Amino acid sequence: MTVTLSSLLSCLASSALLTILAWVIMKNDFALKTVGRYICILLIAAVVRMLLPVEFSFTITFNSRHFMTSVRDFLLWEIHVGTYAVAVGQVLLFVWIAGVICSLCLHIWEYLYFIHKISKCPGYFKHRMDTVISKINRDYGKTKRFEVLLVPGIRTPAVFGLIHPRILMPVTNYSQGEIYFILKHEMLHYYRHDMLVKILCELLCTVYWWNPAIYLFRSLVVQALEIRVDSFLTAGFSEEEKLGYMECILKSMKAGGGERMPLTITFAAQKGDAMKQRFHCIWGNHWRGEKRKGVLMAAFSCLLFLTSVSVIVEPLFPEEVPGTFSYPNPDTSYVIERDGCYAVYVDGIFVGDVSEITEPLLELEIYKNEEDWKNED
């Protein structure tokens, strides 16, 4: 597996297409009802694709004489500052890494600040929380202890923490029934390991901070997590109980806003169309799952994923790879013939395709595939 410009661009394009497809399904009631909870499989495929911006040994390469070649030439174009010269690609890579570091530092600072803030918050004593939590734990067959805190400044309930979970409550005056709905909702998020999903999404946003598609993906994941918990929680509810649950969500949504809460899952963070989608799924129980649907969605998602990693478009060098090397070491460098072109590997790293073998490639061995080179070693 190797990371190249072409593999990175392919990763970004395919993960964006998977995200857009999931968005289309989530926006359409009929499509969401048809797919059900198995939309999560498509989102998982997008995550895996983003985590693997690599070119595999089985990847089929197509050469682009225009677009990819123009991109490569732009990235190799040198900017001269006095006696120094730096390629555009190096500048962009520096900006990318600097952005990742700044974003990571900001997230860590926000997390530590929030930890410090809630450590000073008192327990929530408006209702007998321990009794409610014990009842919910019996319903779920769990025994985890949850600390419930009253946090001034927040407007909607939230769950926070992986090892020592805390349920954060605003100053809103909730009834005993609403407290039950809120705690059961947030505890189910924790028991379904949604906090880990939240952390993974934030890490992806940190790495791909410059990519607009990653923020759409994050919002889709949040929406999917909420719909999944809502639908599971209300599956056995009567119409009256569903109405009470939705009224509780609306009450929290109207009070929404306030201070940002890092790495939390809030009870009513979404508004507008996303909230309408939640209500449709609660009332119609759209999140039902059938094994046949799951198998079809898994097969479809796997097909899209395998297609995205099996085909890569790369730039075509007319004769030799300019500015990349002078005379490569024949012991560690080689050429693989494929589709009428020659893939050049310098020190075991793919550097590009050439249409014919000229200097300085004449002394390199030519193989039919990478396995032949590995076997000779």
Side-chain angles (χ1 to χ4, degrees):
M1 296 188 297
T2 56
V3 179
T4 64
L5 170 64
S6 300
S7 67
L8 177 60
L9 292 178
S10 177
C11 166
L12 296 174
S14 55
S15 59
L17 289 174
L18 289 170
T19 300
I20 292 172
L21 178 59
W23 176 79
V24 170
I25 294 174
M26 294 285 284
K27 293 288 287 185
N28 186 281
D29 283 341
F30 177 77
L32 185 59
K33 185 177 180 179
T34 301
V35 173
R37 65 189 182 192
Y38 299 112
I39 184 66
C40 296
I41 299 176
L42 189 61
L43 294 172
I44 291 171
V47 170
V48 176
R49 188 66 186 100
M50 281 185 261
L51 293 174
L52 293 174
V54 297
E55 180 178 344
F56 295 91
S57 58
F58 57 81
T59 301
I60 300 173
T61 300
F62 292 94
N63 298 114
S64 170
R65 295 180 179 272
H66 302 289
F67 176 73
M68 287 299 297
T69 302
S70 299
V71 172
R72 181 210 64 211
D73 291 342
F74 171 74
L75 294 177
L76 292 177
W77 181 58
E78 293 185 341
I79 302 173
H80 294 271
V81 181
T83 58
Y84 296 96
V86 59
V88 171
Q90 292 175 316
V91 174
L92 294 178
L93 181 60
F94 174 79
V95 172
W96 184 355
I97 295 174
V100 170
I101 294 173
C102 291
S103 179
L104 187 60
C105 290
L106 178 62
H107 277 81
I108 293 173
W109 182 85
E110 286 183 332
Y111 176 79
L112 294 176
Y113 171 78
F114 195 65
I115 283 281
H116 175 72
K117 177 180 177 177
I118 64 175
S119 66
K120 298 180 178 180
C121 292
Y124 191 88
F125 296 115
K126 289 189 177 181
H127 301 277
R128 298 181 63 183
M129 292 298 182
D130 289 341
T131 303
V132 179
I133 290 173
S134 296
K135 182 181 183 305
I136 295 172
N137 270 332
R138 286 195 298 271
D139 294 340
Y140 290 149
K142 304 290 185 179
T143 59
K144 190 70 178 180
R145 182 178 179 273
F146 289 80
E147 185 180 9
V148 184
L149 301 176
L150 179 64
V151 184
I154 69 171
R155 302 290 181 85
T156 184
V159 62
F160 175 77
L162 283 176
I163 300 175
H164 303 292
R166 302 178 180 100
I167 295 177
L168 315 178
M169 297 294 296
V171 295
T172 305
N173 186 26
Y174 290 107
S175 67
Q176 184 69 36
E178 290 170 337
I179 289 291
Y180 175 77
F181 286 146
I182 290 169
L183 295 186
K184 196 163 188 177
H185 179 101
E186 298 301 340
M187 288 169 66
L188 185 57
H189 271 306
Y190 180 82
Y191 286 135
R192 289 295 181 95
H193 307 294
D194 290 346
M195 290 301 301
L196 289 174
V197 178
K198 176 76 172 180
I199 292 172
L200 176 60
C201 285
E202 292 301 326
L203 288 175
L204 287 173
C205 288
T206 298
V207 174
Y208 294 105
W209 58 270
W210 46 268
N211 183 7
I214 195 64
Y215 301 101
L216 173 61
F217 173 80
R218 180 174 63 181
S219 68
L220 290 176
V221 170
V222 171
Q223 185 178 353
L225 292 178
E226 294 301 332
I227 293 175
R228 183 181 68 161
V229 166
D230 289 339
S231 299
F232 180 86
L233 203 59
T234 61
F237 279 14
S238 64
E239 291 187 357
E240 184 179 353
E241 289 173 319
K242 287 182 179 180
L243 285 173
Y245 182 77
M246 289 189 288
E247 286 174 357
C248 182
I249 294 176
L250 278 175
K251 184 176 181 178
S252 296
M253 183 192 72
K254 289 177 181 179
E259 186 174 325
R260 169 177 160 79
M261 296 184 289
L263 296 181
T264 61
I265 297 179
T266 57
F267 182 66
Q270 298 172 313
K271 298 181 180 181
D273 291 340
M275 190 61 70
K276 292 178 182 178
Q277 192 79 66
R278 285 181 67 179
F279 286 174
H280 286 160
C281 290
I282 291 170
W283 193 254
N285 199 14
H286 290 180
W287 216 243
R288 291 190 301 269
E290 301 174 9
K291 289 185 178 180
R292 179 177 58 85
K293 290 182 180 180
V295 172
L296 290 176
M297 178 54 79
F300 179 65
S301 300
C302 287
L303 178 62
L304 292 179
F305 173 79
L306 290 175
T307 301
S308 71
V309 299
S310 299
V311 179
I312 283 183
V313 180
E314 294 181 338
L316 178 65
F317 292 91
E319 293 183 359
E320 62 180 72
V321 185
T324 306
F325 56 84
S326 53
Y327 284 89
N329 185 350
D331 296 330
T332 58
S333 305
Y334 55 95
V335 175
I336 295 178
E337 182 181 2
R338 56 188 182 193
D339 300 328
C341 296
Y342 300 92
V344 181
Y345 290 77
V346 177
D347 296 328
I349 300 175
F350 174 76
V351 294
D353 289 326
V354 296
S355 56
E356 60 180 299
I357 301 299
T358 59
E359 290 286 352
L361 308 176
L362 293 176
E363 295 186 7
L364 302 185
E365 291 288 340
I366 301 176
Y367 299 93
K368 292 295 183 182
N369 52 60
E370 198 163 357
E371 283 69 24
D372 291 344
W373 175 74
K374 291 179 180 177
N375 292 334
E376 185 170 303
D377 288 347

